[in-house]
Amino acid sequence: MMNLKTLSAIALTCALAAGTTTSFAQGQGKDDSALMKIYRATPTRINDVTHTKLAVSFDYKKCYMYGKEWATFHPHFYPTDTLRLDAKGMDIKEVAVVKNGKNIPLKYQYQDSLSLAIQLDKVYHSNESYTIYISYTAKPNELKVKGSAAINDAKGLYFINPDGKDKDKPIQIWTQGETEGSSAWFPTIDKPEQKCTDEIAMTVPSKYVTLSNGRLASQKDNGNGTRTDTWKMELPQSTYLFMMAVGDFKIYHDHWRNVPVDYYMEPKYAPYAKQVFGLTPEMIDFYSKITGVNYPWNKYAQIVVRDYVSGAMENTTATLHGEFENQTTRQLIDAYYDFGASTIAHELFHQWFGDYVTCESWSNLTVNESFANYSETLWAEHKYGPDVAADQNEQDMSAYLNDPSAATKNLVRFHYADKEDVFDNVTYQKGGRILGMLRNYLGKDAFYKGLNIYLKTNAFKNGEAQQLRLALEDASGRDLNWFFNEWYYGAGHPVFDISYKYDDAAKKETVYVAQKQDGQIFKIPLAIDVYSGGKKERHHVWVDGKNDTLTFDAASKPDLVNFDGDKIILCKKTDHKTLDEYAFQYANAGLYMDRFEAIEAAQSKQSEKAGQKILISALSDKYYGLRLKAIKALKMNNAEVHDAALPILVKLAKTDDNTLVRAAAINALAKLKDPAYMGVFNDNINSQSYAIQASSLIGINQLDTARALKLAHDFEKDNTGPLTQAMISVFAASGSSDSWAFVHKKFTESDVNGKFGMVRNYAAMIGKVKSPENAQQGITDLKDLGIKYKIFGGVGPFVVGLLNNIKEDRTKMNDTASAKAAEEAAKAVTDAK
């Protein structure tokens, strides 16, 4: 499952929009404290499912699925004459045991339309199997369930635009099993510890394509406008990984060795399938090599659907992606290693960690999601180099550290209010960073050997963190209990305060390290690099006390003492270096984080020569991400910074090989509102890069609003992402109500990041549009947005603030109906649970 980075971006956007430093934690509700005290035991296994056979068809008008199921079970160990299945919101027509080809009816109770309790025909022992037949109707749209931060809906089966009324949206059906959504479309034991083979026969309109786990075993034309596709999954998988998808998709056929690798996209985006997903075979090869386990399944398919409830889902052999992967050649110009590219890597690695070996319970979700998160960094390092990988690492660490509530949660979590709560930045981002520390401590070879042992030992079964520890100990010969106790079964992170002192008489450099965090004191192996006389000397040390004093020989005062020389430790730190030392660090230490830290230090000290030196140097950094950071950090109202940076910015705007850097440089020039740079804006306004076009439009708007407004209208036929947001900012500032239809359409069609990127300007349009009907339409959109994403603590207040502004604007226009609607919407967001 992939969604945390998208959702983290929401919080960041809201923080910037509100002009605050509020932290947006995925907090627990007021009524959750008692639930947090409950020990979440691994579910007791009374019966095991070994095979599931389904025959399903769909009623698009009612949004029903008609199902027949033959599921085979056996008692796990103790004899039993009962079977309990998860079955959510269904009409149960018949329950029977299959004997000699005949269905023998069984007694059952369907409790709260959630759980099916079946009385078997006899007592079965662990060496006896039995097959249960169930006829049922799944009614997902009538199911009352709630989603979570990571998965914003949980009804399992989704009918998208089933009546075809939305002409801009395809008709689709797809499923989402994690965490317990599969039991909304077929009765099963819906727990990750349950694994079985399966066969799914889907009867669908003949014009549509289907996809499921495993291989397409047969297709039968039924002669009535429908076709039955039968998919067979002949290796065991957890029940939450079952999937179906139906719709108008084009298939691009690729391969890795002899394994089919297919990309399913709607016809509009099918021509770009190879550009979007084309690195997948290389990724498969890379992951196969580092794990020592060749891709273990018979195919790998990726499908892009509309209105998906998360980021993506690693269904075995058939990953389902949200529509952010629907990209054209122009969009991909600005993509680089973005959310879409990293998601492809993330979901693929799940085929090993999550599917091949699956967490034994949601408490141990780390052995699924932490690995998938870390795989994004591993692939970035392999394909794009250490700077891109370190950038990924820094983003992950910041996402975790910026959520204060995360420091209270263990990585392996046996106490939580709801299973969905473990899909958070502790399991994902913190867990990924922890694996990076393990690889650094053990060395790559031992780390990958440990992964190989873990995978092979638990193949097609379940795993937990202790089994991972044992595998890594087996590979390395090192005890790792201390590490797992700290990082897996403990909460928090080190908060370091680091200071330095050189004794010229004794020729000694002393490093004072204090751990300031509440809770446990961490035992940390790390490197300290001492730079002196043009040389670097590395010291391997352990920091394990509340206050540690480390002393090193040094013939002269070092130019730099670099704590955590590998920049791998997950921590917060106050590092008492001088700005001159940071300047030396930027120029000589070399790692991405060395340069990043120096830029961070210089941002608030641009009046000092050393700060200016760092930032001006960073404008020409070898990595585009740090060039971007430097551009955004510049304070151009400082005359010295302005004069030194300006010629570099102009050059970057004209010639940088990275479109995002060019766009950022153009944007920096736009803020100057200087007609001298109109030529730069004009030269770039027709760029194939949407990002460059967007910044150029903003620049023109600063100098000639009438022309910018005309250009924005001209771009209405071809725009997306940053250009759309720039256009809406132009319309919000100087456009008329005639632009409402475009703005509203773009807002409602955008994904969550797009919505939050344009929400302030959308609110401004709502405040000024002439039609009360249009205003109330927009107010409803904001209300729905605020309620849906209120789980992120800052979203609710942020949206309420926008609605209050709209109320004031509509009141000034004497539109009392819209003002009242805004007031009621704000209350609805505030009151939403």
Side-chain angles (χ1 to χ4, degrees):
M1 174 64 65
M2 179 72 175
N3 202 38
L4 272 292
K5 290 189 176 179
T6 304
L7 297 173
S8 296
I10 295 174
L12 176 60
T13 302
C14 291
L16 296 175
T20 70
T21 56
T22 304
S23 174
F24 299 96
Q26 300 167 45
Q28 306 298 330
K30 292 182 180 179
D31 299 327
D32 288 349
S33 58
L35 294 174
M36 290 289 289
K37 297 177 182 178
I38 299 174
Y39 173 70
R40 303 294 180 176
T42 300
T44 301
R45 298 175 69 168
I46 298 173
N47 289 282
D48 291 332
V49 58
T50 59
H51 184 70
T52 300
K53 179 180 178 181
L54 300 173
V56 303
S57 59
F58 305 96
D59 187 327
Y60 284 79
K61 184 176 181 180
K62 294 181 178 179
C63 294
Y64 286 179
M65 187 191 84
Y66 304 112
K68 295 181 178 180
E69 176 178 18
W70 296 262
T72 302
F73 303 87
H74 68 78
H76 182 74
F77 185 80
Y78 299 105
T80 185
D81 62 355
T82 62
L83 171 66
R84 183 177 294 274
L85 300 178
D86 300 298
K88 300 183 180 75
M90 299 176 181
D91 287 341
I92 303 298
K93 309 292 187 182
E94 180 183 358
V95 178
V97 63
V98 180
K99 296 282 190 178
N100 299 318
K102 295 183 179 180
N103 293 341
I104 310 300
L106 295 175
K107 294 180 180 180
Y108 65 91
Q109 292 183 332
Y110 192 26
Q111 300 168 332
D112 299 324
S113 293
L114 295 173
S115 180
L116 187 60
I118 302 170
Q119 182 65 49
L120 300 175
D121 60 315
K122 67 165 197 164
V123 174
Y124 287 87
H125 294 77
S126 60
N127 61 349
E128 295 178 286
S129 294
Y130 58 93
T131 298
I132 300 296
Y133 169 77
I134 303 173
S135 176
Y136 65 96
T137 299
K139 304 185 291 184
N141 288 2
E142 298 174 24
L143 180 61
K144 303 300 180 183
V145 289
K146 70 173 185 175
S148 66
I151 311 162
N152 62 45
D153 201 300
K155 60 187 180 183
L157 176 65
Y158 297 82
F159 289 80
I160 306 304
N161 193 30
D163 54 11
K165 287 184 177 179
D166 187 341
K167 301 306 178 184
D168 295 324
K169 182 178 291 186
I171 297 170
Q172 297 176 349
I173 295 172
W174 47 262
T175 61
Q176 167 58 36
E178 194 172 39
T179 49
E180 294 182 5
S182 289
S183 52
W185 59 280
F186 67 97
T188 190
I189 305 174
D190 207 354
K191 299 293 184 285
E193 63 186 359
Q194 292 287 333
K195 292 200 169 193
C196 68
T197 55
D198 71 79
E199 177 180 329
I200 301 178
M202 287 179 267
T203 298
V204 301
S206 299
K207 62 183 177 180
Y208 291 144
V209 169
T210 68
L211 177 64
S212 188
N213 315 93
R215 65 183 177 90
L216 181 58
S218 66
Q219 292 185 297
K220 178 186 175 184
D221 187 334
N222 299 314
N224 60 357
T226 68
R227 188 187 71 252
T228 299
D229 290 356
T230 300
W231 293 83
K232 291 187 176 182
M233 184 67 188
E234 290 153 325
L235 293 171
Q237 62 168 338
S238 291
T239 50
Y240 77 86
L241 296 167
F242 282 39
M243 75 84 69
M244 300 186 298
V246 182
D248 182 12
F249 298 100
K250 300 296 183 183
I251 309 171
Y252 184 97
H253 297 289
D254 210 337
H255 68 277
W256 174 74
R257 299 181 184 175
N258 294 320
V259 177
V261 177
D262 298 327
Y263 318 131
Y264 291 64
M265 303 186 81
E266 56 192 76
K268 178 180 178 181
Y269 295 98
Y272 315 107
K274 180 70 170 178
Q275 293 172 265
V276 174
F277 293 112
L279 289 176
T280 302
E282 187 180 346
M283 289 182 185
I284 294 174
D285 199 64
F286 171 64
Y287 290 153
S288 296
K289 287 177 179 176
I290 64 171
T291 62
V293 176
N294 284 336
Y295 179 76
W297 311 104
N298 66 338
K299 78 154 194 289
Y300 187 57
Q302 295 176 88
I303 188 168
V304 183
V305 301
R306 295 290 191 101
D307 297 349
Y308 186 47
V309 294
S310 188
M313 180 63 208
E314 66 274 10
N315 311 297
T316 315
T317 76
T319 286
L320 190 148
H321 289 279
E323 61 197 88
F324 58 87
E325 298 289 9
N326 280 335
Q327 298 188 75
T328 65
T329 300
R330 284 197 68 188
Q331 289 171 281
L332 290 166
I333 289 172
D334 299 323
Y336 301 99
Y337 194 52
D338 65 352
F339 180 68
S342 62
T343 297
I344 294 169
H346 178 114
E347 301 306 330
L348 174 59
F349 206 55
H350 268 310
Q351 298 298 314
W352 286 265
F353 291 90
D355 298 2
Y356 187 60
V357 181
T358 308
C359 63
E360 53 85 37
S361 73
W362 301 120
S363 294
N364 271 277
L365 182 63
T366 176
V367 298
N368 289 15
E369 293 298 349
S370 299
F371 273 106
N373 177 275
Y374 188 47
S375 75
E376 301 168 45
T377 297
L378 293 174
W379 171 249
E381 179 183 76
H382 169 77
K383 184 66 177 176
Y384 305 108
D387 281 349
V388 180
D391 189 352
Q392 191 84 12
N393 258 332
E394 191 282 324
Q395 292 179 49
D396 286 346
M397 184 167 72
S398 293
Y400 161 73
L401 292 177
N402 288 337
D403 178 1
S405 70
T408 66
K409 302 171 185 175
N410 294 356
L411 182 55
V412 176
R413 216 168 311 161
F414 293 108
H415 298 85
Y416 51 79
D418 189 282
K419 61 189 179 300
E420 308 292 344
D421 296 340
V422 297
F423 290 80
D424 62 6
N425 51 32
V426 176
T427 297
Y428 284 70
Q429 284 93 332
K430 181 182 182 182
R433 282 294 302 240
I434 288 169
L435 289 170
M437 289 192 293
L438 264 175
R439 188 181 74 151
N440 180 263
Y441 173 64
L442 297 175
K444 290 182 181 180
D445 291 344
F447 179 74
Y448 292 142
K449 179 62 176 176
L451 302 194
N452 176 267
I453 294 170
Y454 171 79
L455 289 171
K456 288 184 174 179
T457 302
N458 303 292
F460 304 111
K461 296 185 292 186
N462 298 87
E464 60 173 271
Q466 292 290 15
Q467 290 165 306
L468 175 63
R469 175 183 63 80
L470 291 171
L472 291 167
E473 288 181 342
D474 187 8
S476 67
R478 294 180 178 179
D479 173 73
L480 292 171
N481 274 293
W482 63 273
F483 186 96
F484 277 72
N485 288 340
E486 284 184 352
W487 292 106
Y488 280 79
Y489 301 101
H493 53 271
V495 178
F496 289 125
D497 186 279
I498 309 147
S499 57
Y500 311 90
K501 181 180 179 182
Y502 180 68
D503 186 332
D504 189 50
K507 304 300 181 185
K508 299 286 186 182
E509 174 72 24
T510 301
V511 182
Y512 301 96
V513 183
Q515 295 195 41
K516 297 289 190 178
Q517 72 276 3
D518 295 328
Q520 67 170 318
I521 298 299
F522 286 81
K523 177 182 178 181
I524 306 289
L526 54 84
I528 293 181
D529 294 334
V530 178
Y531 291 79
S532 184
K535 296 180 181 180
K536 180 182 82 171
E537 184 175 356
R538 169 157 289 196
H539 302 273
H540 294 281
V541 301
W542 288 77
V543 174
D544 56 8
K546 190 168 182 63
N547 293 283
D548 285 298
T549 301
L550 308 168
T551 304
F552 310 104
D553 293 330
S556 59
K557 180 175 172 55
D559 298 301
L560 172 70
V561 178
N562 201 8
F563 182 85
D564 184 21
D566 289 328
K567 295 293 181 281
I568 195 66
I569 306 303
L570 174 64
C571 65
K572 278 189 176 180
K573 63 181 180 180
T574 301
D575 201 337
H576 297 282
K577 293 173 182 166
T578 66
L579 202 54
D580 284 329
E581 287 171 331
Y582 274 116
F584 184 92
Q585 179 174 308
Y586 180 88
N588 295 278
L591 295 181
Y592 168 88
M593 283 305 299
D594 292 317
R595 287 133 57 210
F596 179 95
E597 289 176 355
I599 296 170
E600 287 269 292
Q603 284 182 165
S604 61
K605 298 181 179 180
Q606 297 189 34
S607 61
E608 299 183 28
K609 292 295 184 183
Q612 295 168 16
K613 178 181 178 182
I614 292 169
L615 290 178
I616 299 305
S617 295
L619 290 175
S620 302
D621 195 277
K622 64 180 180 178
Y623 176 52
Y624 78 88
L626 292 180
R627 298 200 297 280
L628 281 171
K629 184 173 179 64
I631 292 169
K632 294 173 182 178
L634 291 173
K635 294 181 179 178
M636 296 295 283
N637 58 351
N638 180 302
E640 291 178 307
V641 172
H642 176 280
D643 292 346
L646 195 55
I648 303 174
L649 285 174
V650 172
K651 181 180 179 181
L652 292 174
K654 293 180 177 180
T655 64
D656 198 276
D657 60 2
N658 183 281
T659 59
L660 301 182
V661 172
R662 285 182 64 190
I666 292 169
N667 195 52
L669 295 176
K671 291 178 181 179
L672 299 177
K673 300 181 181 180
D674 187 338
Y677 304 111
M678 180 62 92
V680 176
F681 309 145
N682 288 336
D683 289 345
N684 287 284
I685 193 62
N686 293 313
S687 170
Q688 284 296 293
S689 160
Y690 289 118
I692 292 175
Q693 269 194 304
S695 293
S696 300
L697 179 62
I698 291 169
I700 293 170
N701 191 51
Q702 298 282 23
L703 301 170
D704 187 344
T705 55
R707 180 164 170 253
L709 189 61
K710 181 181 183 304
L711 285 167
H713 283 299
D714 291 344
F715 293 147
E716 286 186 16
K717 291 183 180 180
D718 184 8
N719 63 90
T720 190
L723 180 57
T724 303
Q725 294 186 23
M727 292 164 62
I728 291 175
S729 72
V730 171
F731 292 144
S734 53
S736 68
S737 295
D738 293 341
S739 303
W740 172 256
F742 170 83
V743 173
H744 176 258
K745 184 174 187 292
K746 284 297 181 178
F747 183 83
T748 55
E749 289 180 350
S750 290
D751 64 14
V752 61
N753 276 340
K755 282 183 169 69
F756 277 93
M758 65 181 74
V759 68
R760 284 172 291 171
N761 288 315
Y762 187 55
M765 282 292 292
I766 297 169
K768 66 182 278 187
V769 68
K770 288 182 180 179
S771 164
E773 181 182 353
N774 290 343
Q776 291 164 39
Q777 187 181 39
I779 288 166
T780 299
D781 292 338
L782 292 188
K783 178 187 71 174
D784 292 345
L785 189 74
I787 292 172
K788 186 172 186 178
Y789 294 104
K790 191 179 178 182
I791 190 168
F792 292 86
V795 170
F798 169 65
V799 173
V800 167
L802 294 177
L803 289 166
N804 288 336
N805 292 339
I806 291 169
K807 176 186 173 182
E808 293 180 10
D809 292 338
R810 303 310 299 186
T811 300
K812 292 175 182 177
M813 295 173 65
N814 296 317
D815 180 8
T816 55
S818 297
K820 183 179 180 181
E823 181 179 0
E824 292 174 349
K827 185 176 187 302
V829 174
T830 300
D831 294 345
K833 303 298 183 183

